[in-house]
Amino acid sequence: MTTCLITGGAGFIGSHLVELCLGRGYRTLVLDDLSTGKKENLPLGHPDLTLIEGDIRDRVLLREIREANPDLTYLFHLAAIASVTKSMEDPILTHEVNFQGTLFLLDTFRKSLLKKIVYASSAAVYGANPNLPLQEESLPKPQSLYGVDKLGGEHLLKVFNDSFHLPTVSCRFFNVFGERQDPSSPYSGVISLFFARAVERKKGSDSRITIFGDGKQTRDFIYVKDVASALLFLAESKNIRGDVFNIGYGRKITILDLARKVQETLGVDIDIRFEAPREGDVRHSLADVRKLEGAGFTFSHDFETGLRRLAEFLVAKAD
């Protein structure tokens, strides 16, 4: 039986990947310290799902998981402090979790029979590169400590792939959005925050949308279910290893236009407040996804579909 281990599997992206793996009939293990992940994100009653509460920096626990699951097929490493802001405020903790935790995981499983380790990296590795769209071969210039650690993790995976014959692949996420992205979390994406404020406004509050900067900065947003599908596709692709892939739609939108789309989707007017730009944020970001599509992956959704689904989810949850 195919067995998957998903670190950070109780989180926003991880929980969607859990659903996908279970839907494939895969036995699925989730390792999560629940610092940002939530049990309610998981179908805990599913017979093929096991939740292990713990930290990826716990090397004893990692060895116990390896020894108890010698048949492990795929390992998806999503556990991280997923915040540029947090990385600048607490660089030591961020480094311990995002870089050292990745190294501990790779070292623990380097002699296993895994078919693939899939690593959640980030578009933050590119930094403020003006040459858009960003290609995987573009020179990385991270301008946040979060981006530095994610890039370091990519290099670790490449070395373990080449020197220890452990098949790996790194995925550079652009701006992921969708259901279960917690707007109250400091790590939350801008879309979930905008929608949360708009839903509050729709219910009669005086909530406002806050934009850091002038709103003309651009991002490439991708719906979470397509991210989960891309991760599983790359894991199952036998001929893909030791490589890096962008995970985005290859489409840009300004933050100000995004705020307007959120209002249009919910049919609500809401005031916009502008604040100073955040330290470490890049001005423009856009993925070149020809490599992913050339490998045979097909997106099942698009930006507008994702927005509608998220709106439906949040409105239903608010009722």
Side-chain angles (χ1 to χ4, degrees), residues 58-197:
D58 186 341
R59 304 192 71 185
V60 173
L61 176 59
L62 293 179
R63 286 194 294 270
E64 290 174 351
I65 294 172
R66 182 198 65 202
E67 292 166 2
N69 300 278
D71 60 340
L72 196 62
T73 315
Y74 303 121
L75 195 166
F76 299 91
H77 180 33
L78 280 70
I81 293 177
S83 168
V84 167
T85 302
K86 180 67 174 178
S87 76
M88 306 301 278
E89 294 173 350
D90 196 342
I92 301 301
L93 177 61
T94 303
H95 181 72
E96 289 174 353
V97 174
N98 292 1
F99 184 83
Q100 291 183 352
T102 300
L103 178 58
F104 292 164
L105 200 66
L106 290 167
D107 185 58
T108 300
F109 288 93
R110 66 188 172 100
K111 293 183 180 179
S112 69
L113 299 177
L114 279 167
K115 290 185 178 179
K116 193 79 62 72
I117 292 184
V118 181
Y119 171 62
S121 185
S122 170
V125 305
Y126 292 114
N129 191 327
N131 300 313
L132 303 179
L134 296 164
Q135 300 179 356
E136 290 85 352
E137 295 76 20
S138 299
L139 180 66
K141 293 182 179 180
Q143 61 185 59
S144 68
L145 296 171
Y146 171 74
V148 168
D149 281 330
K150 282 298 182 180
L151 181 59
E154 290 184 11
H155 288 306
L156 288 176
L157 264 77
K158 178 62 173 171
V159 171
F160 275 80
N161 181 90
D162 296 350
S163 300
F164 297 108
H165 310 292
L166 182 65
T168 70
V169 63
S170 294
C171 301
R172 292 174 177 168
F173 296 168
F174 279 68
N175 290 77
V176 186
F177 74 98
E179 302 91 323
R180 297 198 291 274
Q181 190 172 29
D182 184 1
S184 66
S185 167
Y187 311 133
S188 188
V190 65
I191 288 184
S192 63
L193 289 170
F194 282 6
F195 263 118
R197 299 294 86 79

Side-chain angles (χ1 to χ4, degrees), residues 191-251:
I191 288 184
S192 63
L193 289 170
F194 282 6
F195 263 118
R197 299 294 86 79
V199 168
E200 291 169 2
R201 180 69 171 180
K202 195 176 183 71
K203 294 170 68 176
S205 78
D206 59 353
S207 295
R208 297 178 179 180
I209 285 177
T210 299
I211 292 178
F212 295 94
D214 60 8
K216 296 180 180 179
Q217 61 269 44
T218 58
R219 294 292 183 268
D220 185 342
F221 293 99
I222 179 168
Y223 184 48
V224 65
K225 291 190 182 298
D226 273 333
V227 174
S229 295
L231 291 171
L232 192 54
F233 168 82
L234 292 170
E236 295 174 334
S237 299
K238 297 178 181 179
N239 296 326
I240 294 176
R241 59 174 293 172
D243 215 339
V244 177
F245 289 85
N246 286 334
I247 310 294
Y249 279 147
R251 175 182 172 185

